[in-house]
Amino acid sequence: MITAIVLIDCATDSIPEVAETLANLPGVSEVYSVAGHVDLIAMVRVREFEEIAQIIAGSISKVPGVLDTESHIAFRAYSRHDLEETFAIGLGGAD
């Protein structure tokens, strides 16, 4: 699974509509409204690298109200949830 984190600047008066539209795009798993220098962050998760350009340049950037995007491709995930699942494999009932 390939993950891209897309930082999105929107027209201020259309943030909720843009977020809803983005959340319904194929390949977009989550959209967050955030504080800071961007308005939204979209998580894109795909199986093939080629799909990244199609989703970001071909879909996200073309949503009315999207003014600018900045994309980051994740190399590896480090999360407490993922690590706990990894270390719990085969330890059923162990504390």
Side-chain angles (χ1 to χ4, degrees), residues 18-89:
V18 171
E20 178 107 9
T21 301
L22 294 174
N24 289 315
L25 292 175
V28 176
S29 61
E30 302 116 73
V31 178
Y32 300 96
S33 176
V34 297
H37 72 281
V38 297
D39 301 303
L40 300 170
I41 296 177
M43 303 300 292
V44 175
R45 300 180 200 282
V46 295
R47 293 192 184 280
E48 303 290 328
F49 186 77
E50 292 76 24
E51 294 173 89
I52 296 285
Q54 179 183 353
I55 293 167
I56 296 171
S59 297
I60 291 176
S61 294
K62 293 183 179 178
V63 169
V66 171
L67 304 177
D68 192 30
T69 63
E70 180 180 328
S71 303
H72 300 268
I73 306 300
F75 293 126
R76 185 174 293 155
Y78 298 93
S79 75
R80 180 179 205 93
H81 176 75
D82 293 339
L83 292 173
E84 286 173 358
E85 283 186 12
T86 299
F87 290 114
I89 294 173

